[in-house]
Amino acid sequence: MLKVPDHQVAGHTARHGKLGPLIDDSGRFYKPLQDDERGSKELAFYSSFSSNTSIPDHIHGFFPVFYGTQLLEASDGSGLRPHLVLQDLASDRLNPSIIDIKIGSRTWYPQASEDYVQRCMKKDKETTSLLLGFRISGLQIYGNSESGFWKPEKKHVQEFTLEDVRLVLRKFVSSNSPIGSNSFPDCCFAPSVYGGSAGILAQLLELKAWFEDQTIYHFNSCSVLMVYEKESMMKGKSSGAEIKLIDFAHVVEGRGVIDHNFLGGLCSFIKFVSEILTGPDEYSTEACSPDSEKKCISTDNEHPDHKSEFSDILSTN
Amino acid sequence: MLKVPDHQVAGHTARHGKLGPLIDDSGRFYKPLQDDERGSKELAFYSSFSSNTSIPDHIHGFFPVFYGTQLLEASDGSGLRPHLVLQDLASDRLNPSIIDIKIGSRTWYPQASEDYVQRCMKKDKETTSLLLGFRISGLQIYGNSESGFWKPEKKHVQEFTLEDVRLVLRKFVSSNSPIGSNSFPDCCFAPSVYGGSAGILAQLLELKAWFEDQTIYHFNSCSVLMVYEKESMMKGKSSGAEIKLIDFAHVVEGRGVIDHNFLGGLCSFIKFVSEILTGPDEYSTEACSPDSEKKCISTDNEHPDHKSEFSDILSTN
């Protein structure tokens, strides 16, 4: 029995009779193959990657499992259409908090059409991509059983500024309500979600080490998905914190050159995450017991002023 | 007594009555301040950087020493003009081999004028910048006392392809003649120039570690200069292998974000250098004695074919 995914945060959705991905209850995610080059490119990538034995196992683990393709009734009622059969990353997860981060200051690539390049460049400039080397494409952050998820609209997410990105990455790992721009995220869960030997940061650093070396693929316009389960943590269980790469419709051959665009953006994102763990903002981890989020108290969440000597000198020139 | 530098490989030169840098015999390099914003920006950078005590000493060592500014008769005869007084990187060097590598797949930056952006983008696409994350801006490679330097013209350097870049980085550390496209560089000096605990690769990795962390400056359109002395090595002395960053007319404030564009390009360049040290191409280092370059014999210099499974799949789709 196929249905619309509950926890999709970005991309085309199958709601309201449109074409989008479907899931079943066995943990599989069915992504319709797009008619144009994107569909064949994404399939080519999954086929190549899943059978490439030169890629280490721990790197394969950062990608959804690929089960081949299958003809299915498309969600828009247009009849049978081939779908990629992938691992459903939200399967068996209770109220997962998810952020989709599109990596790279440049989402276009030399081989693309002029029209595509222009549209991408415009969006890269309008969002944080050009500035930060990545942008948040979508998110849902679980508050509690009463408030449910904070899932801002696409339009709002696209308008995120540098400071919004900082705030959202803090809200993601905080026990207090993510809703409202005036909230002060306590970053209560940062040590266990971002930190630790198996946390998000450790996973990102593993991925980075691979990108410093691999010259097979260039992952244009690809996202890192961050997932964890707040409720599970509150009950003293594992956070289930995990990253996965998704969206490979614009992957091209690396031709012996590393993916410097993805790597640069990934390093920038890593810096943002590590600043939450080590930055000047303090969060009282001791006050954060598994069953009492109320105890988490924020102390100081003002971001340090980055005005440097350099800016003083520049302004007098 | 001021004179035109002997070993300048890129940028404006003071020859033929044009405006360019001058040197003296005390090891100082005088770079004329450009009239426009570029001049004030480069001065602002040197002033800020040289006085910034938060930057580690070993990182200061990757930059030319800054001695302030001085009014001098400009080389184009236009009268007195302020010059940056910098360390002359070629001073006390005997026939230095030098490559100027402009780092970054993007040499423009959001704050620049539309006209500047368009000109940079065009050049980034025409050269290897967009593809590799860096381009060679100029070079001189010393052959021997008979042949002197191989110093291709600017126009030729700008047309370098991916394979040309690979070849030049190998010629740079080879004992056989760098002249001619059909030569097979033996990479005789790679272990001592690129490799080792104080070699170019080790220095690049130190620089990389700083770029993963620093959020003060974004080094747009800045170059890494690689220098060493072949003759010194042939005589069994130190190679004097060294990297320095130069050209800061387009440095802007980092505003709390790492320079992901520079870092990505630097990592790509590092991969090229490390491939020469560890790649499938073999060079007989034992045959390379200090006083006999003739013994260096190339075995196999064909670059491995990067055609992957991925390309096979793509071509059938």
Side-chain angles (χ1 to χ4, degrees):
Chain A
M1 187 58 198
L2 298 176
K3 60 171 192 168
V4 175
D6 288 325
H7 303 298
Q8 196 183 338
V9 299
H12 304 283
T13 66
R15 291 184 204 286
H16 313 302
K18 295 210 170 142
L19 185 63
L22 299 166
I23 57 169
D24 65 17
D25 51 14
S26 79
R28 296 195 174 192
F29 182 91
Y30 302 88
K31 184 173 181 178
L33 271 186
Q34 285 162 300
D35 288 326
D36 57 17
E37 204 190 24
R38 286 174 295 178
S40 57
K41 271 182 129 167
E42 186 151 33
L43 174 57
F45 170 75
Y46 271 113
S47 303
S48 158
F49 185 83
S50 64
S51 62
N52 192 329
T53 52
S54 75
I55 291 161
D57 283 348
H58 74 280
I59 296 301
H60 273 289
F62 289 129
F63 292 75
V65 180
F66 172 60
Y67 299 105
T69 57
Q70 196 172 321
L71 276 176
L72 289 178
E73 283 292 337
S75 63
D76 62 354
S78 62
L80 285 176
R81 175 190 278 269
H83 287 63
L84 294 168
V85 187
L86 303 168
Q87 173 191 9
D88 177 9
L89 303 175
S91 169
D92 296 328
R93 292 220 179 236
L94 185 64
N95 298 323
S97 292
I98 304 175
I99 306 187
D100 178 309
I101 305 115
K102 195 185 280 273
I103 305 288
S105 70
R106 165 170 59 72
T107 55
W108 54 278
Y109 45 104
Q111 303 92 330
S113 71
E114 187 57 31
D115 180 52
Y116 178 81
V117 169
Q118 289 303 324
R119 273 183 290 134
C120 287
M121 278 192 65
K122 187 164 181 287
K123 208 159 175 182
D124 295 345
K125 277 184 190 174
E126 285 169 356
T127 62
T128 64
S129 292
L130 183 59
L131 185 63
L132 305 190
F134 66 90
R135 67 173 175 252
I136 294 178
S137 286
L139 73 143
Q140 65 174 29
I141 301 179
Y142 186 70
N144 54 46
S145 56
E146 204 179 315
S147 67
F149 285 100
W150 176 52
K151 191 170 178 173
E153 281 180 25
K154 191 177 172 181
K155 193 179 169 301
H156 179 56
V157 173
Q158 285 176 339
E159 288 169 353
F160 277 173
T161 63
L162 162 58
E163 289 310 320
D164 292 331
V165 169
R166 281 214 167 90
L167 189 64
V168 165
L169 293 177
R170 298 174 66 85
K171 283 183 173 187
F172 186 62
V173 290
S174 292
S175 71
N176 44 359
S177 173
I179 298 160
S181 58
N182 292 321
S183 71
F184 291 100
D186 56 27
C187 293
C188 221
F189 304 129
S192 28
V193 175
Y194 288 151
S197 61
I200 298 277
L201 182 59
Q203 294 178 48
L204 289 168
L205 291 173
E206 264 188 67
L207 192 63
K208 175 189 164 218
W210 185 61
F211 269 92
E212 286 172 344
D213 189 53
Q214 78 86 16
T215 61
I216 314 171
Y217 308 110
H218 282 195
F219 291 89
N220 303 296
S221 207
C222 161
S223 285
V224 165
L225 209 67
M226 284 201 299
V227 191
Y228 86 102
E229 289 156 87
K230 195 178 279 183
E231 277 186 312
S232 171
M233 290 200 66
M234 304 290 285
K235 290 174 187 154
K237 293 181 191 163
S238 154
S239 69
E242 182 175 62
I243 60 163
K244 291 272 184 192
L245 267 70
I246 58 165
D247 294 341
F248 309 109
H250 301 286
V251 174
V252 299
E253 283 183 73
R255 294 172 55 207
V257 179
I258 67 162
D259 188 351
H260 44 85
N261 178 56
F262 188 99
L263 178 58
L266 184 65
C267 289
S268 177
F269 181 62
I270 285 171
K271 176 73 175 171
F272 274 76
V273 171
S274 60
E275 275 181 343
I276 295 174
L277 283 167
T278 61
D281 299 330
E282 289 178 15
Y283 38 83
S284 46
T285 53
E286 285 172 27
C288 191
S289 68
D291 54 2
S292 168
E293 59 178 292
K294 294 271 156 45
K295 288 185 193 164
C296 289
I297 295 156
S298 162
T299 50
D300 173 17
N301 285 278
E302 285 296 306
H303 196 85
D305 190 352
H306 286 290
K307 192 161 173 289
S308 64
E309 276 183 76
F310 186 44
S311 63
D312 294 337
I313 290 170
L314 264 186
S315 63
T316 60
N317 267 278
Chain B
M1 188 56 197
L2 298 177
K3 59 171 192 167
V4 175
D6 288 325
H7 303 298
Q8 197 183 338
V9 299
H12 304 285
T13 64
R15 291 183 204 285
H16 312 302
K18 293 207 170 144
L19 185 64
L22 299 166
I23 56 170
D24 65 16
D25 51 15
S26 78
R28 298 196 172 192
F29 183 91
Y30 301 88
K31 183 173 180 176
L33 272 186
Q34 284 161 301
D35 287 326
D36 58 17
E37 204 189 22
R38 286 175 295 177
S40 58
K41 271 182 128 167
E42 186 151 32
L43 174 57
F45 171 75
Y46 271 113
S47 303
S48 158
F49 185 83
S50 63
S51 62
N52 192 328
T53 51
S54 75
I55 291 159
D57 282 349
H58 73 282
I59 296 301
H60 273 289
F62 289 129
F63 291 75
V65 180
F66 173 60
Y67 299 104
T69 57
Q70 196 173 321
L71 275 177
L72 289 178
E73 283 292 337
S75 63
D76 61 356
S78 61
L80 285 176
R81 174 189 279 270
H83 287 63
L84 294 168
V85 187
L86 304 169
Q87 172 191 8
D88 178 9
L89 303 176
S91 168
D92 295 328
R93 294 229 181 226
L94 185 63
N95 298 322
S97 292
I98 305 175
I99 306 187
D100 178 309
I101 306 116
K102 195 184 279 274
I103 305 287
S105 69
R106 166 170 59 71
T107 54
W108 55 277
Y109 45 104
Q111 302 92 331
S113 71
E114 187 56 30
D115 179 52
Y116 178 81
V117 169
Q118 290 305 323
R119 270 183 293 134
C120 286
M121 279 192 64
K122 187 165 181 285
K123 208 160 176 182
D124 295 345
K125 278 185 190 174
E126 287 169 355
T127 63
T128 65
S129 291
L130 182 59
L131 184 64
L132 305 191
F134 66 88
R135 68 173 175 252
I136 293 178
S137 285
L139 72 142
Q140 66 174 28
I141 300 179
Y142 186 70
N144 54 47
S145 56
E146 204 179 315
S147 67
F149 286 100
W150 177 51
K151 191 170 178 173
E153 280 181 24
K154 190 177 173 182
K155 192 177 170 301
H156 180 56
V157 173
Q158 284 176 339
E159 288 168 354
F160 277 173
T161 63
L162 161 57
E163 289 310 321
D164 291 331
V165 169
R166 280 213 169 91
L167 189 63
V168 166
L169 293 178
R170 297 174 65 84
K171 284 184 173 186
F172 186 63
V173 291
S174 292
S175 70
N176 43 0
S177 172
I179 298 159
S181 57
N182 291 320
S183 70
F184 292 101
D186 57 27
C187 294
C188 221
F189 304 129
S192 28
V193 174
Y194 288 151
S197 61
I200 298 278
L201 182 59
Q203 294 178 47
L204 289 169
L205 291 173
E206 264 189 67
L207 192 63
K208 175 189 165 220
W210 184 62
F211 270 92
E212 285 172 343
D213 189 55
Q214 77 87 14
T215 61
I216 314 171
Y217 308 110
H218 282 195
F219 292 89
N220 303 296
S221 207
C222 160
S223 286
V224 165
L225 209 67
M226 284 200 301
V227 191
Y228 85 102
E229 289 156 86
K230 193 177 281 183
E231 278 187 311
S232 171
M233 289 199 68
M234 305 288 287
K235 289 176 188 152
K237 293 184 193 162
S238 153
S239 70
E242 181 176 61
I243 59 163
K244 292 272 183 189
L245 268 70
I246 57 165
D247 293 342
F248 308 109
H250 301 286
V251 174
V252 300
E253 283 183 71
R255 295 173 54 208
V257 179
I258 67 163
D259 188 350
H260 43 86
N261 178 57
F262 188 98
L263 178 58
L266 184 64
C267 289
S268 177
F269 180 63
I270 285 170
K271 176 73 175 170
F272 274 74
V273 171
S274 61
E275 274 182 344
I276 295 173
L277 284 166
T278 62
D281 299 330
E282 287 176 17
Y283 38 83
S284 48
T285 53
E286 284 172 27
C288 192
S289 67
D291 53 3
S292 167
E293 60 178 292
K294 293 272 157 46
K295 288 185 195 165
C296 289
I297 295 156
S298 162
T299 51
D300 174 17
N301 285 278
E302 284 296 306
H303 196 83
D305 189 354
H306 285 289
K307 192 160 173 288
S308 63
E309 276 182 77
F310 185 46
S311 63
D312 293 337
I313 289 171
L314 263 185
S315 63
T316 59
N317 266 278

